[in-house]
Amino acid sequence: MNRSLENAKKTTSLASQIQAATGIALHHCYQCGKCAAGCPVADTMDLPSCQVLRLLQYESPEFDRQVLQSEAIWLCLSCETCHTRCPQDIGTPKVMNFLRGEAMRLRLAHPRSKDTQAFHHAFLGSVGRHGRLYEIGMLMGYKLRTGHLLKDMALGSKLHEKGKLNLLPHAIEDKAALKRLFKQTLNNPDSKE
Amino acid sequence: MSRVGVFVCHCGENIGSTVDCPEVAERCKQMPGVVHAEDYKYLCSNPGQNKIKQAIKDHQLEGVVVAACSPRMHEPTFRRAVTDAGMNAYLCEVANLREHCSWVHEEADSTTEKAVDLVRLQLEKVKRNKPLQPIEVPITKTALVIGGGVAGIQAALDIADSGHKVILVERSPALGGHMAQLSETFPTLDCSQCILTPRMVDVSRHPNITLMTYSEVEHLDGFIGNFKATIRKRARKIDEELCTGCGECLQKCPSKDISDGFNEGLTTRRAIYVPFTQAVPNIPVIDVENCRHYQKKKCDRCVKACPTKAISFNQQDELIHVDVGAIVVATGYKVMSTEKFPEYGYGTYPDVITGLQFERYASASGPTQGVIKRPSDGKEPETVVFIACSGSRDAAKGVKYCSKICCMYTAKHAMLLKHKNHNSKAYVFYMDIRAAGKNYDEFVRRAIEEDGVKYIRGRVSRVYEEDGKLVVKGADTLLGGRPVEIKADLVVLATASLPNDGQSELARKLHVGCDEYGFLAEAHPKLKPVETNTAGIYLAGACQSPRDIPETVAQASAAAAKVAALLSRSHLTREPIVAEVNRRPAPLHSDCTGCFLCESACPYRAIGQEEILDRDGIVIKTIAKINPGLCQGCGTCVATCRTKAIDLHGFSNEQIFAEIMSL
């Protein structure tokens, strides 16, 4: 394993890509650990959020790759607890989001992220088609993608009782605007806002 | 003496709740020699003091015992009160009924009994007290400042500005110390020399300052207000009156390859040299060890070159005796050399340098005019690793303490590197970032956030050479100790600050203490931070412990304020509680046999020798003599004396024995 950091910055590092795409300066992180301390899923992460940032600070290809291959970036719920509490105002969820996109693009995503990716696809697919969530459609899409056909079926009846499962989708009125929105976002996925 | 008054204080409930004070007063009336006894709620109050004054007048008292709190608390109060009533202050004694009795015992008859005993002890003492007069010591209104770095310069200027004479002694040929070597200073990045050289010039021009460079304190005698210092003015081999500082001689000197101390060995100088261009005074020195005239008995090129005939090969060291009233020690520090680190190459890799060497590279007056280069091949380094805590906080192989300035100057070095070479990469290995100071943490964050310096938390385990690079192996403890390896062009060690060379010898000469590391010790870490245990000697700067420029300047001004306060008095008043060697009629003259055990026992060096002469001026006996200006009244000599020739005023053997016998 080449641990040498001499090649740092010769290729564009993730940190500089993140700064260009989101304006977040990762070298502002001084490793206090408050993000990891408050993170609700830190226990299940292979790298606590502060170490994700620390590895990125090196701007070394090896460490960058390690971050992209980590499971942690897929476990982040984007709950924003870390960002709310960060003394240096670093938007870690946004960083995680960028890393997920990059991991998928470079086909480095962690094997266990398959289900999460399937959920994201099913969710966005449903919203993209109808402008709001069509639960049954999304569930079917998710289950077909993952093969977990019978998992969590008991929850289905509860959702039905509460009237959450409508048989037919309810679409929004201005579908053209929706299309524009999606097109714009997909063309410029890392826009700052 | 047999007319003593006893006054028992209740101290509110403090004494009154456990000691039966009226009973104590009543019992005291029965004691022989007591003509008056009374108790009162608060004797330290004005009415309480008036009671004492009135009783002295009414009963013509010849001694007073106040049974109250600790004498440390109110002895001065009661002594002032008796003085107001016309009695000698030293005829008043305090029996400590509070700390020694009521606070430490339950209410009981035995507690009251003990209180009575405590009064009886003081009564026996006060009966044998003699009136004493405070000792007045004259003051020499000149200060000696040792060390011409920024601390010494500041102290000298402040004392001189307050109207007192100052003698500033500097060991090296020029003023300035380490600060003159620095490039820019944190956290403002102002140029070190630009802010220091005007001060150096001020020193040389100040009418109240006598500047003695290339000089050292050889010997010190005397005591506060009356020190006698011997200063060795080393021979420059240049007539300072004739030399104009033209520099002709410097060009002609053929001895060239001498390591230049001002540039931390990065360049060479000649045998006749001025340490740096802006040196004050701008007068060269001949380095006798390397000069061909002295080593090979030939060569007089500098003599031929000098237009004013100022070269004086026969000049000798001078011993100059000066009288001074106060001393400020500002002898500074030195940095640990790279040779102390086997794991970083034992000083064998030319591109592993100290922070001070980096300063010289970064300085506009340095060997590269401010371009950061590396010693081995003179190339500008691309990747530089800075290692903080090199030798500091390393109990096993270095020093235990934190050198305090390294965090800040390392951040500054990394920042200067990035400013001077935008394509360079700076890595800092650190354990903690200690940036407590005005604008200090902001400065470090600026290095990281604006200049992109990479900080890695962890100590470097090893540096070795490989393919023309220095491989730095460390670990990132923020990543759980993950190993990190950097191939660097230059490694800068922020080596520990150490006590300066010769500091312990100087401390012995001055009779001031050192701490466990060899830094000079202050009298009290909080309340007397610039005083030493020797009265009249003060400390300023890094001779006391590692410190940065703002703190050094503040401390130097503090020491100067202490000196100015001392020198502005016409004389010193001291407690007359001092020891004295007795004198007897001839032919004995004194019980002292002249063994001088006391001289070596005295912790204040207050004891000297005195010759007793007959009418023809012939020495008939040599006895010990105690200098009342130096004596602190500790009593060590009294205990040491084999013939009981020494007694302590106010605490004579007779008094102590009488106290014990009264129990």
Side-chain angles (χ1 to χ4, degrees), chain A residues 27 54 58-59 66 88, chain B residues 445 449 454-455 476 482:
Chain A
H27 54 288
R54 181 72 191 131
Y58 274 92
E59 301 186 69
Q66 198 177 342
Q88 292 283 78
Chain B
R445 294 312 305 168
E449 293 174 12
K454 294 211 180 297
Y455 270 65
D476 190 330
R482 187 186 301 246

Side-chain angles (χ1 to χ4, degrees), chain A residues 3-6 8-9 27-31 47 51 54-55 57-59 63 66 88, chain B residues 425 427 445 448-450 454-457 473 476 478-480 482-487:
Chain A
R3 285 201 303 264
S4 174
L5 301 171
E6 65 189 307
K9 254 190 171 170
H27 54 288
H28 284 212
C29 169
Y30 53 45
Q31 291 288 301
L47 286 174
Q51 288 202 3
R54 181 72 191 131
L55 286 167
Q57 282 181 336
Y58 274 92
E59 301 186 69
F63 286 175
Q66 198 177 342
Q88 292 283 78
Chain B
K425 285 198 284 282
Y427 294 91
R445 294 312 305 168
I448 297 170
E449 293 174 12
E450 288 177 27
K454 294 211 180 297
Y455 270 65
I456 302 170
R457 191 185 179 283
K473 288 172 79 86
D476 190 330
L478 297 173
L479 291 173
R482 187 186 301 246
V484 171
E485 191 178 291
I486 293 167
K487 290 189 174 165

Side-chain angles (χ1 to χ4, degrees), chain A residues 13 20 33 44 58 60 75 79 81 87 118 130 138 150 155 170-171 175-176:
Chain A
S13 65
T44 59
Y58 274 92
S60 94
L75 296 174
C79 71
T81 307
H130 312 296
M138 186 206 73
L150 299 175
L155 288 173
H170 291 264
K175 280 203 173 178

